[in-house]
mmCIF file of all heavy atoms in Angstrom:
data_model
loop_
_atom_site.group_PDB
_atom_site.id
_atom_site.type_symbol
_atom_site.label_atom_id
_atom_site.label_comp_id
_atom_site.label_asym_id
_atom_site.label_seq_id
_atom_site.Cartn_x
_atom_site.Cartn_y
_atom_site.Cartn_z
ATOM 1 N N TYR A 3 91.440 101.608 82.252
ATOM 2 C CA TYR A 3 91.385 101.063 83.602
ATOM 3 C C TYR A 3 90.033 101.343 84.249
ATOM 4 O O TYR A 3 89.504 100.508 84.984
ATOM 5 C CB TYR A 3 92.501 101.654 84.471
ATOM 6 C CG TYR A 3 93.875 101.625 83.846
ATOM 7 C CD1 TYR A 3 94.826 102.557 84.197
ATOM 8 C CD2 TYR A 3 94.226 100.681 82.877
ATOM 9 C CE1 TYR A 3 96.093 102.550 83.641
ATOM 10 C CE2 TYR A 3 95.486 100.672 82.303
ATOM 11 C CZ TYR A 3 96.414 101.612 82.692
ATOM 12 O OH TYR A 3 97.656 101.604 82.134
ATOM 13 N N THR A 4 89.458 102.497 83.961
ATOM 14 C CA THR A 4 88.152 102.844 84.525
ATOM 15 C C THR A 4 87.090 101.851 84.066
ATOM 16 O O THR A 4 86.348 101.300 84.884
ATOM 17 C CB THR A 4 87.752 104.278 84.112
ATOM 18 O OG1 THR A 4 88.739 105.181 84.618
ATOM 19 C CG2 THR A 4 86.381 104.645 84.639
ATOM 20 N N PHE A 5 87.016 101.606 82.761
ATOM 21 C CA PHE A 5 85.988 100.688 82.267
ATOM 22 C C PHE A 5 86.311 99.240 82.598
ATOM 23 O O PHE A 5 85.399 98.437 82.822
ATOM 24 C CB PHE A 5 85.733 100.912 80.776
ATOM 25 C CG PHE A 5 84.800 102.061 80.558
ATOM 26 C CD1 PHE A 5 85.292 103.352 80.425
ATOM 27 C CD2 PHE A 5 83.428 101.879 80.559
ATOM 28 C CE1 PHE A 5 84.439 104.427 80.279
ATOM 29 C CE2 PHE A 5 82.563 102.943 80.415
ATOM 30 C CZ PHE A 5 83.071 104.224 80.273
ATOM 31 N N GLN A 6 87.590 98.894 82.691
ATOM 32 C CA GLN A 6 87.932 97.543 83.147
ATOM 33 C C GLN A 6 87.439 97.347 84.578
ATOM 34 O O GLN A 6 86.896 96.290 84.916
ATOM 35 C CB GLN A 6 89.441 97.309 83.058
ATOM 36 C CG GLN A 6 89.942 97.171 81.640
ATOM 37 C CD GLN A 6 91.458 97.206 81.554
ATOM 38 O OE1 GLN A 6 92.163 97.138 82.557
ATOM 39 N NE2 GLN A 6 91.971 97.318 80.338
ATOM 40 N N SER A 7 87.592 98.366 85.415
ATOM 41 C CA SER A 7 87.118 98.234 86.800
ATOM 42 C C SER A 7 85.593 98.269 86.867
ATOM 43 O O SER A 7 84.991 97.516 87.639
ATOM 44 C CB SER A 7 87.731 99.310 87.694
ATOM 45 O OG SER A 7 87.255 100.592 87.379
ATOM 46 N N PHE A 8 84.949 99.099 86.052
ATOM 47 C CA PHE A 8 83.479 99.126 86.028
ATOM 48 C C PHE A 8 82.915 97.760 85.640
ATOM 49 O O PHE A 8 81.903 97.330 86.152
ATOM 50 C CB PHE A 8 82.968 100.143 85.002
ATOM 51 C CG PHE A 8 83.111 101.588 85.384
ATOM 52 C CD1 PHE A 8 82.834 102.569 84.453
ATOM 53 C CD2 PHE A 8 83.515 101.985 86.650
ATOM 54 C CE1 PHE A 8 82.944 103.916 84.770
ATOM 55 C CE2 PHE A 8 83.640 103.327 86.980
ATOM 56 C CZ PHE A 8 83.350 104.297 86.034
ATOM 57 N N ASN A 9 83.555 97.118 84.673
ATOM 58 C CA ASN A 9 83.047 95.861 84.109
ATOM 59 C C ASN A 9 83.614 94.618 84.787
ATOM 60 O O ASN A 9 83.357 93.507 84.338
ATOM 61 C CB ASN A 9 83.364 95.812 82.613
ATOM 62 C CG ASN A 9 82.686 96.930 81.856
ATOM 63 O OD1 ASN A 9 81.575 97.325 82.186
ATOM 64 N ND2 ASN A 9 83.354 97.463 80.853
ATOM 65 N N PHE A 10 84.364 94.797 85.857
ATOM 66 C CA PHE A 10 85.028 93.682 86.519
ATOM 67 C C PHE A 10 84.004 92.778 87.187
ATOM 68 O O PHE A 10 83.216 93.205 88.019
ATOM 69 C CB PHE A 10 86.000 94.213 87.572
ATOM 70 C CG PHE A 10 87.111 93.280 87.921
ATOM 71 C CD1 PHE A 10 88.363 93.469 87.378
ATOM 72 C CD2 PHE A 10 86.908 92.224 88.788
ATOM 73 C CE1 PHE A 10 89.408 92.613 87.705
ATOM 74 C CE2 PHE A 10 87.932 91.361 89.118
ATOM 75 C CZ PHE A 10 89.189 91.556 88.565
ATOM 76 N N ARG A 11 84.004 91.516 86.810
ATOM 77 C CA ARG A 11 83.104 90.544 87.413
ATOM 78 C C ARG A 11 83.822 89.834 88.561
ATOM 79 O O ARG A 11 85.037 89.732 88.568
ATOM 80 C CB ARG A 11 82.675 89.507 86.367
ATOM 81 C CG ARG A 11 82.103 90.141 85.103
ATOM 82 C CD ARG A 11 80.636 90.005 85.011
ATOM 83 N NE ARG A 11 79.905 90.344 83.834
ATOM 84 C CZ ARG A 11 80.190 91.142 82.841
ATOM 85 N NH1 ARG A 11 81.343 91.716 82.760
ATOM 86 N NH2 ARG A 11 79.346 91.388 81.886
ATOM 87 N N ASN A 12 83.086 89.361 89.515
ATOM 88 C CA ASN A 12 83.641 88.624 90.650
ATOM 89 C C ASN A 12 84.702 89.447 91.378
ATOM 90 O O ASN A 12 85.798 88.982 91.654
ATOM 91 C CB ASN A 12 84.216 87.273 90.194
ATOM 92 C CG ASN A 12 84.585 86.398 91.357
ATOM 93 O OD1 ASN A 12 84.074 86.537 92.462
ATOM 94 N ND2 ASN A 12 85.520 85.489 91.118
ATOM 95 N N ARG A 13 84.361 90.682 91.683
ATOM 96 C CA ARG A 13 85.304 91.591 92.349
ATOM 97 C C ARG A 13 85.830 91.011 93.654
ATOM 98 O O ARG A 13 87.011 91.124 93.950
ATOM 99 C CB ARG A 13 84.640 92.931 92.628
ATOM 100 C CG ARG A 13 84.350 93.708 91.389
ATOM 101 C CD ARG A 13 83.678 95.021 91.702
ATOM 102 N NE ARG A 13 83.330 95.690 90.457
ATOM 103 C CZ ARG A 13 82.759 96.858 90.396
ATOM 104 N NH1 ARG A 13 82.459 97.512 91.501
ATOM 105 N NH2 ARG A 13 82.473 97.397 89.236
ATOM 106 N N GLN A 14 84.938 90.414 94.439
ATOM 107 C CA GLN A 14 85.365 89.859 95.723
ATOM 108 C C GLN A 14 86.274 88.651 95.540
ATOM 109 O O GLN A 14 87.240 88.494 96.275
ATOM 110 C CB GLN A 14 84.141 89.482 96.573
ATOM 111 C CG GLN A 14 83.287 90.665 96.983
ATOM 112 C CD GLN A 14 84.062 91.722 97.753
ATOM 113 O OE1 GLN A 14 84.928 91.417 98.563
ATOM 114 N NE2 GLN A 14 83.746 92.976 97.499
ATOM 115 N N GLY A 15 85.988 87.829 94.547
ATOM 116 C CA GLY A 15 86.780 86.627 94.328
ATOM 117 C C GLY A 15 88.170 86.910 93.780
ATOM 118 O O GLY A 15 89.083 86.111 93.977
ATOM 119 N N ALA A 16 88.307 87.994 93.103
ATOM 120 C CA ALA A 16 89.611 88.356 92.537
ATOM 121 C C ALA A 16 90.014 89.731 93.061
ATOM 122 O O ALA A 16 90.514 90.584 92.334
ATOM 123 C CB ALA A 16 89.544 88.349 91.013
ATOM 124 N N ARG A 17 89.802 89.934 94.342
ATOM 125 C CA ARG A 17 89.947 91.238 94.975
ATOM 126 C C ARG A 17 91.285 91.929 94.713
ATOM 127 O O ARG A 17 91.278 93.113 94.376
ATOM 128 C CB ARG A 17 89.729 91.114 96.492
ATOM 129 C CG ARG A 17 89.501 92.436 97.157
ATOM 130 C CD ARG A 17 88.173 92.951 96.735
ATOM 131 N NE ARG A 17 88.095 94.391 96.805
ATOM 132 C CZ ARG A 17 86.966 95.035 96.897
ATOM 133 N NH1 ARG A 17 85.830 94.378 96.945
ATOM 134 N NH2 ARG A 17 86.943 96.333 96.933
ATOM 135 N N PRO A 18 92.400 91.316 94.846
ATOM 136 C CA PRO A 18 93.611 92.135 94.656
ATOM 137 C C PRO A 18 93.734 92.679 93.231
ATOM 138 O O PRO A 18 94.265 93.761 93.027
ATOM 139 C CB PRO A 18 94.766 91.205 95.000
ATOM 140 C CG PRO A 18 94.219 89.839 94.996
ATOM 141 C CD PRO A 18 92.736 89.950 95.200
ATOM 142 N N PHE A 19 93.185 91.957 92.258
ATOM 143 C CA PHE A 19 93.310 92.394 90.864
ATOM 144 C C PHE A 19 92.317 93.510 90.557
ATOM 145 O O PHE A 19 92.654 94.473 89.868
ATOM 146 C CB PHE A 19 93.144 91.213 89.916
ATOM 147 C CG PHE A 19 94.116 90.111 90.226
ATOM 148 C CD1 PHE A 19 93.684 88.934 90.811
ATOM 149 C CD2 PHE A 19 95.467 90.265 89.974
ATOM 150 C CE1 PHE A 19 94.582 87.930 91.126
ATOM 151 C CE2 PHE A 19 96.378 89.271 90.289
ATOM 152 C CZ PHE A 19 95.930 88.100 90.867
ATOM 153 N N TYR A 20 91.106 93.385 91.096
ATOM 154 C CA TYR A 20 90.140 94.472 90.937
ATOM 155 C C TYR A 20 90.677 95.740 91.601
ATOM 156 O O TYR A 20 90.636 96.831 91.026
ATOM 157 C CB TYR A 20 88.781 94.100 91.538
ATOM 158 C CG TYR A 20 87.889 95.314 91.687
ATOM 159 C CD1 TYR A 20 87.296 95.895 90.567
ATOM 160 C CD2 TYR A 20 87.682 95.901 92.931
ATOM 161 C CE1 TYR A 20 86.511 97.033 90.683
ATOM 162 C CE2 TYR A 20 86.896 97.034 93.058
ATOM 163 C CZ TYR A 20 86.321 97.600 91.932
ATOM 164 O OH TYR A 20 85.562 98.730 92.050
ATOM 165 N N ASP A 21 91.171 95.609 92.829
ATOM 166 C CA ASP A 21 91.693 96.769 93.553
ATOM 167 C C ASP A 21 92.834 97.427 92.787
ATOM 168 O O ASP A 21 92.918 98.652 92.720
ATOM 169 C CB ASP A 21 92.181 96.366 94.944
ATOM 170 C CG ASP A 21 91.039 95.980 95.883
ATOM 171 O OD1 ASP A 21 89.881 96.321 95.586
ATOM 172 O OD2 ASP A 21 91.326 95.342 96.910
ATOM 173 N N LEU A 22 93.697 96.621 92.207
ATOM 174 C CA LEU A 22 94.819 97.152 91.435
ATOM 175 C C LEU A 22 94.319 98.014 90.281
ATOM 176 O O LEU A 22 94.725 99.174 90.123
ATOM 177 C CB LEU A 22 95.686 96.005 90.888
ATOM 178 C CG LEU A 22 96.798 96.416 89.931
ATOM 179 C CD1 LEU A 22 97.895 97.164 90.663
ATOM 180 C CD2 LEU A 22 97.355 95.193 89.214
ATOM 181 N N ILE A 23 93.416 97.463 89.477
ATOM 182 C CA ILE A 23 92.919 98.187 88.305
ATOM 183 C C ILE A 23 92.125 99.421 88.732
ATOM 184 O O ILE A 23 92.322 100.517 88.188
ATOM 185 C CB ILE A 23 92.082 97.249 87.412
ATOM 186 C CG1 ILE A 23 92.973 96.170 86.791
ATOM 187 C CG2 ILE A 23 91.369 98.044 86.318
ATOM 188 C CD1 ILE A 23 92.226 95.056 86.086
ATOM 189 N N ALA A 24 91.256 99.288 89.712
ATOM 190 C CA ALA A 24 90.425 100.417 90.147
ATOM 191 C C ALA A 24 91.274 101.526 90.762
ATOM 192 O O ALA A 24 91.027 102.716 90.512
ATOM 193 C CB ALA A 24 89.366 99.935 91.143
ATOM 194 N N ASN A 25 92.266 101.163 91.552
ATOM 195 C CA ASN A 25 93.107 102.182 92.185
ATOM 196 C C ASN A 25 93.986 102.903 91.168
ATOM 197 O O ASN A 25 94.175 104.125 91.263
ATOM 198 C CB ASN A 25 93.954 101.567 93.295
ATOM 199 C CG ASN A 25 93.123 101.235 94.517
ATOM 200 O OD1 ASN A 25 92.178 101.936 94.842
ATOM 201 N ND2 ASN A 25 93.467 100.156 95.186
ATOM 202 N N ILE A 26 94.519 102.174 90.207
ATOM 203 C CA ILE A 26 95.315 102.842 89.171
ATOM 204 C C ILE A 26 94.415 103.731 88.323
ATOM 205 O O ILE A 26 94.814 104.832 87.932
ATOM 206 C CB ILE A 26 96.117 101.826 88.328
ATOM 207 C CG1 ILE A 26 97.220 101.192 89.187
ATOM 208 C CG2 ILE A 26 96.731 102.500 87.102
ATOM 209 C CD1 ILE A 26 98.034 100.113 88.493
ATOM 210 N N ALA A 27 93.170 103.311 88.074
ATOM 211 C CA ALA A 27 92.227 104.161 87.340
ATOM 212 C C ALA A 27 92.028 105.487 88.069
ATOM 213 O O ALA A 27 92.079 106.560 87.449
ATOM 214 C CB ALA A 27 90.881 103.445 87.164
ATOM 215 N N GLY A 28 91.829 105.414 89.368
ATOM 216 C CA GLY A 28 91.660 106.638 90.153
ATOM 217 C C GLY A 28 92.897 107.519 90.108
ATOM 218 O O GLY A 28 92.794 108.749 89.967
ATOM 219 N N GLU A 29 94.046 106.908 90.216
ATOM 220 C CA GLU A 29 95.289 107.684 90.165
ATOM 221 C C GLU A 29 95.461 108.353 88.807
ATOM 222 O O GLU A 29 95.923 109.499 88.722
ATOM 223 C CB GLU A 29 96.489 106.788 90.470
ATOM 224 C CG GLU A 29 97.787 107.563 90.506
ATOM 225 C CD GLU A 29 98.994 106.728 90.882
ATOM 226 O OE1 GLU A 29 98.831 105.567 91.331
ATOM 227 O OE2 GLU A 29 100.111 107.239 90.719
ATOM 228 N N GLU A 30 95.084 107.658 87.744
ATOM 229 C CA GLU A 30 95.234 108.224 86.399
ATOM 230 C C GLU A 30 94.372 109.470 86.205
ATOM 231 O O GLU A 30 94.776 110.395 85.501
ATOM 232 C CB GLU A 30 94.921 107.177 85.329
ATOM 233 C CG GLU A 30 95.915 106.034 85.259
ATOM 234 C CD GLU A 30 97.319 106.424 84.816
ATOM 235 O OE1 GLU A 30 97.511 107.545 84.288
ATOM 236 O OE2 GLU A 30 98.228 105.609 84.991
ATOM 237 N N PHE A 31 93.196 109.525 86.843
ATOM 238 C CA PHE A 31 92.397 110.752 86.774
ATOM 239 C C PHE A 31 93.160 111.906 87.413
ATOM 240 O O PHE A 31 93.125 113.040 86.928
ATOM 241 C CB PHE A 31 91.022 110.572 87.425
ATOM 242 C CG PHE A 31 90.026 109.936 86.512
ATOM 243 C CD1 PHE A 31 89.685 108.599 86.659
ATOM 244 C CD2 PHE A 31 89.442 110.668 85.492
ATOM 245 C CE1 PHE A 31 88.769 108.008 85.810
ATOM 246 C CE2 PHE A 31 88.520 110.076 84.633
ATOM 247 C CZ PHE A 31 88.184 108.744 84.794
ATOM 248 N N GLY A 32 93.862 111.612 88.504
ATOM 249 C CA GLY A 32 94.705 112.631 89.121
ATOM 250 C C GLY A 32 95.824 113.068 88.187
ATOM 251 O O GLY A 32 96.187 114.251 88.142
ATOM 252 N N HIS A 33 96.362 112.130 87.415
ATOM 253 C CA HIS A 33 97.421 112.479 86.461
ATOM 254 C C HIS A 33 96.891 113.397 85.365
ATOM 255 O O HIS A 33 97.582 114.332 84.937
ATOM 256 C CB HIS A 33 98.023 111.220 85.840
ATOM 257 C CG HIS A 33 98.770 110.377 86.821
ATOM 258 N ND1 HIS A 33 99.347 109.180 86.456
ATOM 259 C CD2 HIS A 33 99.046 110.539 88.130
ATOM 260 C CE1 HIS A 33 99.935 108.643 87.513
ATOM 261 N NE2 HIS A 33 99.761 109.451 88.537
ATOM 262 N N ILE A 34 95.660 113.147 84.921
ATOM 263 C CA ILE A 34 95.060 114.018 83.907
ATOM 264 C C ILE A 34 94.949 115.439 84.459
ATOM 265 O O ILE A 34 95.266 116.421 83.774
ATOM 266 C CB ILE A 34 93.678 113.484 83.463
ATOM 267 C CG1 ILE A 34 93.827 112.153 82.723
ATOM 268 C CG2 ILE A 34 92.958 114.513 82.590
ATOM 269 C CD1 ILE A 34 92.520 111.411 82.527
ATOM 270 N N GLU A 35 94.529 115.553 85.711
ATOM 271 C CA GLU A 35 94.432 116.878 86.321
ATOM 272 C C GLU A 35 95.808 117.535 86.424
ATOM 273 O O GLU A 35 95.956 118.732 86.168
ATOM 274 C CB GLU A 35 93.792 116.772 87.702
ATOM 275 C CG GLU A 35 93.578 118.118 88.356
ATOM 276 C CD GLU A 35 92.893 118.036 89.696
ATOM 277 O OE1 GLU A 35 92.754 116.927 90.249
ATOM 278 O OE2 GLU A 35 92.493 119.098 90.202
ATOM 279 N N LEU A 36 96.830 116.770 86.779
ATOM 280 C CA LEU A 36 98.190 117.320 86.848
ATOM 281 C C LEU A 36 98.678 117.800 85.486
ATOM 282 O O LEU A 36 99.318 118.849 85.382
ATOM 283 C CB LEU A 36 99.162 116.271 87.398
ATOM 284 C CG LEU A 36 99.074 115.962 88.878
ATOM 285 C CD1 LEU A 36 99.958 114.777 89.229
ATOM 286 C CD2 LEU A 36 99.473 117.185 89.691
ATOM 287 N N VAL A 37 98.398 117.028 84.450
ATOM 288 C CA VAL A 37 98.802 117.428 83.098
ATOM 289 C C VAL A 37 98.098 118.729 82.713
ATOM 290 O O VAL A 37 98.724 119.663 82.205
ATOM 291 C CB VAL A 37 98.525 116.304 82.074
ATOM 292 C CG1 VAL A 37 98.698 116.802 80.643
ATOM 293 C CG2 VAL A 37 99.442 115.115 82.325
ATOM 294 N N ALA A 38 96.793 118.810 82.979
ATOM 295 C CA ALA A 38 96.050 120.027 82.662
ATOM 296 C C ALA A 38 96.600 121.224 83.445
ATOM 297 O O ALA A 38 96.782 122.315 82.881
ATOM 298 C CB ALA A 38 94.562 119.839 82.956
ATOM 299 N N ALA A 39 96.887 121.039 84.721
ATOM 300 C CA ALA A 39 97.432 122.131 85.537
ATOM 301 C C ALA A 39 98.803 122.561 85.015
ATOM 302 O O ALA A 39 99.114 123.759 84.992
ATOM 303 C CB ALA A 39 97.537 121.697 87.000
ATOM 304 N N THR A 40 99.605 121.600 84.581
ATOM 305 C CA THR A 40 100.925 121.926 84.042
ATOM 306 C C THR A 40 100.798 122.702 82.737
ATOM 307 O O THR A 40 101.494 123.697 82.523
ATOM 308 C CB THR A 40 101.759 120.646 83.846
ATOM 309 O OG1 THR A 40 101.884 119.987 85.111
ATOM 310 C CG2 THR A 40 103.131 120.961 83.294
ATOM 311 N N ILE A 41 99.907 122.250 81.870
ATOM 312 C CA ILE A 41 99.677 122.972 80.606
ATOM 313 C C ILE A 41 99.255 124.402 80.911
ATOM 314 O O ILE A 41 99.784 125.358 80.331
ATOM 315 C CB ILE A 41 98.616 122.244 79.750
ATOM 316 C CG1 ILE A 41 99.193 120.949 79.189
ATOM 317 C CG2 ILE A 41 98.113 123.154 78.622
ATOM 318 C CD1 ILE A 41 98.159 120.028 78.559
ATOM 319 N N ASN A 42 98.330 124.563 81.826
ATOM 320 C CA ASN A 42 97.861 125.907 82.164
ATOM 321 C C ASN A 42 98.959 126.744 82.812
ATOM 322 O O ASN A 42 99.070 127.945 82.544
ATOM 323 C CB ASN A 42 96.614 125.829 83.039
ATOM 324 C CG ASN A 42 95.414 125.370 82.240
ATOM 325 O OD1 ASN A 42 95.123 125.920 81.189
ATOM 326 N ND2 ASN A 42 94.728 124.357 82.713
#
Side-chain angles (χ1 to χ4, degrees):
Y3 311 153
T4 299
F5 278 89
Q6 288 169 11
S7 68
F8 286 172
N9 298 325
F10 204 101
R11 307 254 189 337
N12 189 23
R13 291 179 184 181
Q14 295 303 322
R17 195 70 206 202
F19 304 108
Y20 166 74
D21 290 343
L22 173 70
I23 293 170
N25 287 326
I26 291 177
E29 183 177 349
E30 293 294 346
F31 277 103
H33 293 178
I34 294 167
E35 184 178 11
L36 287 172
V37 169
T40 301
I41 289 169
N42 288 309

